[in-house]
Amino acid sequence: MKRTAYRLTIAAAMAAIMAASPALAEEVRIMWYSDGNEGEVMQDLLDRFMADNKDITVVLDNVSYQVVQEQLPISLAAGEGPDIARVTNLKAQAEHWLDLTPYVADPEYWRANFGGQADWMRPDGSDAITGFMTQLTVTGGFANKTLYEQAGVEIPGPDASWDEVVAAADQVAKSQGLIAAFALDRSGHRLSGPAVSFGANFIADDGMPAPVDDGVKAFVSRMVQWTEEGKNLKDVWVSAAGSTYRAAADDFINAQIPYYYSGSWQIANLATKIGNGFDWVATGSPCGGAACSGMAGGAGLLAVKYTKVPEAVGKVMDYLGSAEIVKEFSERTLFLPAHKGVVEAGNLDFQSDDPNVKAALSAFVAASGKIAPNASALSAWKWANAYYGALVTRTSQAMAGELTLDDAYARMNDDIAEQVKQAGQ
Amino acid sequence: MSFALANTIGAVFAAPVRWLAASIDAPLRLWQRLTGKGGMIAFFLMPNIIVFGTFVIIPLFINFAYSVTGGNELFLTDRSFVGTQHFDRLLTCDNHFDPSSCRDDLFWTAVWNTARFVVVQVTTIAIVAMGTALILNSKIPARGFWRAVFFFPVLLSPVVVGLIWRWILQRQGLLNFVMIEMDLTPVNWLIERDWAFVAAVGVSVWAHVGFYALILLAGLQAIPRDLYEAAEMDGTRPARVFFRITLPLLWPNLLVVIVLALIRAVQIFDEVYVLTGGGPGTSTLYLTQYIYEIGFASILRNPGLASAASLMMGGVLIVLTLGQLGLQRWRDRA
């Protein structure tokens, strides 16, 4: 009898442990990359979440941007991956995102505050809630103010053309003995804003990729010419094959180039690494014949549909998407928020003592108003990445002298057509 | 006391082995009675066959399946059959010696880049490994130390090798710093096409030559000393000694070095990918990187095309391996 009671007690304890274990074992993994300090800020926010939600453990896996670009798509295609991921390639992977509608506390809150970018990250025609933008970004230029002053060259104003901006930067480079006048990140996204400024239209009437047009040719031919003349820093575009992404931030931070075309997400990185090394300013996007446009974009935090713990993912997303947390994250990372309520409240207090930072943020906010409709449409366009890949691969070959410009344009069209054909099989 | 302790420890470690041997003894005897000698051979080969089949043979068939299916999907069940479409794309050229005339120009660029790399790198590695082995075999001070020095890069991860040399060779790297200090004009080693190729070959040779030198060193030490003593007594010139004694007797080892280096050179990827990223332009884009880019790294990947290219590359490697076997048999017969 005594032994039976003892066995029952053990069995009951085991059952209680078994029943409790799923709650204890709920682990949410986030794949995260950082341009600046956002990884540290996110970890701090998650620590607070875990302190209040003992039943959920959130693991922040910090990886390089290249891992997110190259390895995450393979995991997702295999039906694997993290529970949540921070990505920039939002639309092309839309089929892998989880519809959070049944898992978030108030779907209407999400639609009201993040609805503006919801189409960027869900399949065409869907009304799913898949995540939110951790920041909105705008591409644009940065100038090393100190170098311009030392060279006695005025930084071109907001309506200056690309030709004027590059000519001024070249004057500075020659005067100061620098290795090149400017650099633009090796990225199709970065190349596309200026191309749109020269009148490029990537999307045909039927929604499919349009052939490379005069707008694209106008900017690509300039980039190739500037590279041949040594004005564009060869190390960024020519130094790799394929569509590999390469940022030129370090060359700007090390004062090797007076002008750098990248985007608003670099503000925290520049502020942290340049410190008081030199003064710098954000200059928006130079003009082409048709516009003075950059590209809108940003990184989104997306729930992955292969998660085993969708309820826990919903809780984490509710926390990270709350107005209070979005506001704090933006203030500490110097990112432009995507939360409509936070933007409308307008009381953001960006946390930086660097006088360059607030001016840069204002410049990018102003630049966001100049984004051409053709450029805005690309963020929610399924084939944008096919276009970007072809642009990078073939433009860099033309810069390296391997292809004539005409051959490069023909190859871009072929590459895009192959990608469309491949995706349709 | 220590002997007894060693015995005790030995017995403790031997016990599980004895228990295992005893437990499989009866079934093995039964198996041998039923299947004979052939069955026992199959039994002992089975672990290796399972590992080889799981990690080589089955993936080979899966690779073939990918090469005849299309689409961006990863699961074979989601992919449509396209027959030889990928092979057609890779092989369609007006002139195979001119990549720009090919439908997939990057593939043929990679093919010819790889061929050029293989010829230059294998030749260089054979010569440098031979020179290194001869020096390390001679009576130089601190010979053991120098042997370790030359072998050390072999122990490094290829990614580490690529990173180290990137820091040295990049525009603001160590080499240019030294050149500027010496009032020399710095060179953009990784951006100039010819220098990037030299860098790719040089770094690859640096990373692997120790291994091949070791093979040749073993061969040198196996050559009987009395042959050299007889040549010395005859007053034979050193060059004649090298070409008439050392080289013929070292030929089997040299052949192994050349074939191994050849196979490895065809597969070159990691250190060069980290060093140059395939650039400038596509001047150091080699076959394995092409396959990696198409299959995994490009924005919209194409696993079918990558599989077709890797099967073709596998075919080249099989030809090289068969060539090695043929050469060995020819030498054995001679």
Side-chain angles (χ1 to χ4, degrees), chain A residues 319-406:
Chain A
Y319 168 76
L320 294 175
S322 64
E324 177 193 340
I325 296 300
V326 168
K327 181 171 183 287
E328 182 181 339
F329 179 78
S330 300
E331 287 173 341
R332 291 173 65 184
T333 57
L334 311 179
F335 286 155
L336 303 175
H339 188 292
K340 194 179 173 193
V342 170
V343 174
E344 282 177 357
N347 57 348
L348 284 161
D349 179 21
F350 289 109
Q351 292 174 16
S352 173
D353 298 331
D354 189 332
N356 302 310
V357 165
K358 286 189 178 170
L361 284 164
S362 302
F364 275 107
V365 169
S368 66
K370 290 184 173 182
I371 294 171
N374 285 356
S376 292
L378 293 176
S379 299
W381 188 46
K382 184 183 173 186
W383 299 106
N385 284 313
Y387 226 112
Y388 296 159
L391 273 176
V392 173
T393 304
R394 300 308 181 174
T395 303
S396 59
Q397 277 189 279
M399 287 174 177
E402 293 178 354
L403 292 178
T404 64
L405 278 169
D406 285 339

Side-chain angles (χ1 to χ4, degrees), chain A residues 89-388:
Chain A
N89 195 1
L90 306 163
K91 187 76 170 183
Q93 304 181 102
E95 63 181 307
H96 301 296
W97 309 141
L98 174 72
D99 183 0
L100 285 164
T101 309
Y103 304 111
V104 291
D106 181 5
E108 283 315 308
Y109 165 87
W110 282 75
R111 291 198 178 98
N113 289 298
F114 299 114
Q117 297 81 36
D119 276 341
W120 297 9
M121 57 188 91
R122 63 189 176 196
D124 288 340
S126 162
D127 67 345
I129 297 167
T130 56
F132 69 100
M133 302 297 287
T134 55
Q135 87 263 39
L136 284 181
T137 59
V138 186
T139 60
F142 297 94
N144 182 324
K145 194 177 167 194
T146 305
L147 282 173
Y148 277 78
E149 284 170 357
Q150 285 171 357
V153 177
E154 201 173 322
I155 296 173
D159 295 326
S161 69
W162 267 97
D163 294 334
E164 290 164 347
V165 167
V166 172
D170 191 43
Q171 265 185 284
V172 176
K174 283 185 175 137
S175 153
Q176 301 300 300
L178 306 177
I179 57 176
F182 79 104
L184 181 141
D185 291 336
R186 193 177 194 271
S187 151
H189 179 263
R190 232 65 83 239
L191 198 74
S192 298
V196 167
S197 296
F198 281 90
N201 184 22
F202 293 12
I203 309 173
D205 292 340
D206 61 356
M208 298 303 285
V212 167
D213 63 14
D214 289 343
V216 173
K217 290 177 184 174
F219 189 66
V220 168
S221 61
R222 277 176 168 78
M223 282 292 286
V224 171
Q225 191 189 335
W226 289 329
T227 309
E228 283 167 2
E229 293 168 354
K231 293 172 184 170
N232 177 25
L233 183 61
K234 257 188 163 184
D235 305 41
V236 181
W237 276 76
V238 180
S239 65
S243 56
T244 307
Y245 171 78
R246 286 210 171 155
D250 286 345
D251 297 297
F252 183 75
I253 289 163
N254 292 325
Q256 296 298 315
I257 45 170
Y259 183 79
Y260 170 42
Y261 191 82
S262 185
S264 57
W265 61 93
Q266 294 285 3
I267 292 174
N269 189 31
L270 301 187
T272 308
K273 291 184 181 164
I274 294 171
N276 55 8
F278 57 82
D279 286 333
W280 53 275
V281 290
T283 59
S285 282
C287 303
C292 308
S293 179
M295 287 280 290
L301 200 59
L302 282 305
V304 175
K305 77 175 177 188
Y306 311 112
T307 180
K308 304 272 192 301
V309 286
E311 287 85 3
V313 166
K315 268 190 182 178
V316 174
M317 293 295 275
D318 263 336
Y319 168 76
L320 294 175
S322 64
E324 177 193 340
I325 296 300
V326 168
K327 181 171 183 287
E328 182 181 339
F329 179 78
S330 300
E331 287 173 341
R332 291 173 65 184
T333 57
L334 311 179
F335 286 155
L336 303 175
H339 188 292
K340 194 179 173 193
V342 170
V343 174
E344 282 177 357
N347 57 348
L348 284 161
D349 179 21
F350 289 109
Q351 292 174 16
S352 173
D353 298 331
D354 189 332
N356 302 310
V357 165
K358 286 189 178 170
L361 284 164
S362 302
F364 275 107
V365 169
S368 66
K370 290 184 173 182
I371 294 171
N374 285 356
S376 292
L378 293 176
S379 299
W381 188 46
K382 184 183 173 186
W383 299 106
N385 284 313
Y387 226 112
Y388 296 159

Side-chain angles (χ1 to χ4, degrees), chain B residues 103-244:
Chain B
R103 192 169 153 208
D104 197 319
D105 60 325
L106 293 177
F107 174 71
W108 284 98
T109 301
V111 166
W112 291 118
N113 283 349
T114 307
R116 181 172 169 231
F117 178 86
V118 166
V119 170
V120 177
Q121 196 250 21
V122 173
T123 308
T124 311
I125 225 164
I127 294 168
V128 176
M130 175 66 87
T132 308
L134 288 170
I135 292 169
L136 294 179
N137 195 42
S138 62
K139 288 172 186 165
I140 54 169
R143 191 163 60 170
F145 168 75
W146 291 114
R147 283 179 183 176
V149 165
F150 278 94
F151 192 73
F152 177 70
V154 179
L155 304 175
L156 295 176
S157 145
V159 174
V160 173
V161 169
L163 278 176
I164 289 171
W165 282 98
R166 193 178 169 88
W167 291 330
I168 293 171
L169 296 172
Q170 64 192 4
R171 187 193 285 268
Q172 288 159 320
L174 188 62
L175 185 56
N176 276 344
F177 172 75
V178 172
M179 288 177 74
I180 291 167
E181 289 296 304
M182 294 168 71
D183 282 336
L184 297 170
T185 310
V187 176
N188 209 348
W189 305 99
L190 301 178
I191 301 298
E192 304 297 333
R193 296 176 67 83
D194 292 336
W195 281 121
F197 176 72
V198 170
V201 171
V203 169
S204 167
V205 168
W206 179 84
H208 302 294
V209 77
F211 173 69
Y212 299 113
L214 205 67
I215 294 174
L216 295 178
L217 187 60
L220 283 173
Q221 291 179 345
I223 298 174
R225 301 303 307 167
D226 51 354
L227 292 176
Y228 290 109
E229 286 163 10
E232 197 178 344
M233 286 170 70
D234 291 344
T236 314
R237 281 176 290 119
R240 196 172 167 80
V241 171
F242 176 76
F243 285 110
R244 291 303 172 100

Side-chain angles (χ1 to χ4, degrees), chain A residues 421-422 425, chain B residues 61-71 76 79-91 103 302-309 311-312:
Chain A
K421 182 183 163 192
Q422 180 68 19
Q425 285 176 338
Chain B
F61 282 108
I62 293 173
N63 202 15
F64 177 75
Y66 272 102
S67 73
V68 292
T69 53
L76 280 170
R79 297 170 62 80
S80 56
F81 180 75
V82 296
T84 59
Q85 182 186 295
H86 297 308
F87 294 97
D88 290 343
R89 177 176 163 185
L90 292 175
L91 294 171
R103 192 169 153 208
N302 188 340
L305 190 67
S307 298
L311 280 177
M312 291 169 70

